[in-house]
Amino acid sequence: MYSLSQLRRGLRRGLSNPTLLAREVNRAYHRRLYTRRYNTAGVDVVAEDWDTLVVLDACRYDLFAERHDLPGELSTRVSRAAHTSEFLLGNFHERELLDTVYVTASPILQRGYDSKYRPTFHAVVNVWEEAGWDDESGTVLPETMVEYALEAAREYPRKRLVVHFMQPHYPFIGSELMTEEMSVPDPEQFTTDIWTELMTGRIRVPTDEVWRAYRDNLDRALPHVERLLAELSGKTVVTSDHGNMIGERARPIPIREWGHPPGVYTPELTRVPWLEHTAGPRRTIVAEASEETEDAVTDDVVSDRLRHLGYA
């Protein structure tokens, strides 16, 4: 259940632009007048059978099915999320997961770790901190994620691993769309994200160019996912936290939607891949005391990383 102040904030965002107002109405519809905080019709990934869960951020099922050439059996699942924050809330909120290590390229978990999500993992590896962050591309590269994931597998051989890649989520590595005008504007001017800029027409880019950049970002990651499937023992599942809309019509108000706004549960946003592959013996999973310590990362670092990744 949402508080009255949260409802008011949502309406204020909508009233700033007719298109955003329509998005807010759609959000109220999908969230059942804000009585649910995530897509309760989605799968509980923790309860599924896997030793390693590879999460490709913002990867929709149809794109994955078209582009991948990975070993394993592909099916689909309905995600609990249209946004990473909902994925974390819907799957890990206040859960004791002492048999799991979360290796992540996304700062979203850190932003709300104690205030919003409050999970207890055995350990969290924040690859997006200084050592894992690529300044030139403004993200964590997929080859970097592989190295951190393999190191975590060596360090924690009796733990489940969640390996959360940033791709194919924006920014689009090596794309011509990676320009200053595609970055998030100064928050002193207005609070937004890259997809809302496209949706409201503040940035105009042909749809096929955006789709191509999004597709190429997935292609950039897939060989590194294949390496993980080859080198990790046990059952690995490749999935996504949510999909992404590239100008398709939302509902019930049929506006053209962009990105992955939380609370809008269209098929493009909630239908995600579920590829299962087993290599070698299954790992023996054991829960042990948490190794988590007080993180010294400042809020400024988290905010800076999120801006580069296209978040407000």
Side-chain angles (χ1 to χ4, degrees):
M1 181 72 70
Y2 280 70
S3 68
L4 183 59
S5 63
Q6 287 173 310
L7 301 183
R8 286 171 176 166
R9 281 199 300 271
L11 289 174
R12 281 199 299 270
R13 285 197 302 269
L15 290 172
S16 67
N17 181 285
T19 305
L20 297 182
L21 177 59
R23 171 188 277 179
E24 201 61 38
V25 172
N26 286 343
R27 179 178 285 124
Y29 168 82
H30 287 283
R31 281 185 166 169
R32 298 174 184 169
L33 295 178
Y34 302 100
T35 59
R36 58 178 181 171
R37 302 178 69 188
Y38 60 87
N39 180 26
T40 54
V43 63
D44 176 2
V45 298
V46 173
E48 294 290 309
D49 180 31
W50 47 267
D51 300 318
T52 301
L53 186 73
V54 175
V55 179
L56 296 170
D57 203 301
C59 183
R60 47 196 277 172
Y61 171 79
D62 55 356
L63 176 66
F64 184 88
E66 174 191 329
R67 305 302 297 179
H68 95 95
D69 190 24
L70 301 173
E73 183 177 343
L74 177 63
S75 60
T76 185
R77 293 287 191 278
V78 173
S79 174
R80 290 187 167 186
H83 190 277
T84 302
S85 60
E86 293 180 326
F87 176 77
L88 296 171
L89 192 65
N91 291 288
F92 306 117
H93 179 238
E94 294 186 345
R95 295 176 86 159
E96 186 174 276
L97 302 167
L98 296 175
D99 63 351
T100 304
V101 174
Y102 205 108
V103 185
T104 180
S106 172
I108 295 288
L109 177 62
Q110 178 68 27
R111 182 167 66 174
Y113 199 93
D114 294 323
S115 61
K116 186 175 183 179
Y117 311 121
R118 299 187 292 276
T120 305
F121 293 108
H122 177 69
V124 175
V125 181
N126 287 317
V127 185
W128 51 270
E129 290 188 46
E130 294 298 334
W133 184 259
D134 184 74
D135 286 321
E136 182 177 353
S137 60
T139 190
V140 175
L141 298 174
E143 52 265 40
T144 303
M145 277 300 298
V146 168
E147 297 303 331
Y148 275 82
L150 293 175
E151 176 59 31
R154 289 188 290 268
E155 184 174 355
Y156 305 103
R158 300 198 299 172
K159 297 292 177 285
R160 294 177 113 189
L161 295 181
V162 178
V163 182
H164 191 147
F165 284 77
M166 206 61 238
Q167 292 72 37
H169 191 286
Y170 181 88
F172 305 130
I173 302 169
S175 169
E176 292 181 359
L177 298 185
M178 285 290 297
T179 64
E180 283 300 316
E181 68 175 1
M182 291 292 284
S183 63
V184 176
D186 183 345
E188 294 300 319
Q189 298 176 24
F190 45 83
T191 302
T192 186
D193 59 61
I194 181 61
W195 298 108
T196 302
E197 293 297 278
L198 287 165
M199 183 177 179
T200 57
R202 295 188 182 111
I203 293 174
R204 297 186 182 276
V205 180
T207 300
D208 60 345
E209 289 187 24
V210 178
W211 183 264
R212 186 182 307 113
Y214 174 54
R215 178 201 67 201
D216 291 349
N217 228 29
L218 175 61
D219 289 348
R220 180 78 162 68
L222 286 175
H224 305 287
V225 175
E226 185 173 20
R227 182 184 170 194
L228 280 184
L229 293 179
E231 296 193 26
L232 288 178
S233 176
K235 182 176 182 179
T236 299
V237 168
V238 182
T239 187
S240 181
D241 49 353
H242 55 80
N244 205 90
M245 295 189 75
I246 312 288
E248 295 92 354
R249 298 285 183 182
R251 64 182 177 87
I253 300 179
I255 56 171
R256 292 199 180 277
E257 186 61 84
W258 293 84
H260 46 90
V264 180
Y265 304 133
T266 63
E268 294 86 356
L269 289 175
T270 59
R271 190 175 184 227
V272 295
W274 191 267
L275 183 138
E276 300 182 3
H277 174 72
T278 302
R282 296 290 299 268
R283 299 203 294 272
T284 299
I285 305 299
V286 178
E288 296 177 294
S290 177
E291 293 184 359
E292 294 180 50
T293 58
E294 187 70 24
D295 201 309
V297 180
T298 67
D299 289 342
D300 287 345
V301 172
V302 175
S303 297
D304 177 71
R305 298 293 188 257
L306 290 172
R307 279 194 296 270
H308 280 91
L309 295 170
Y311 295 98

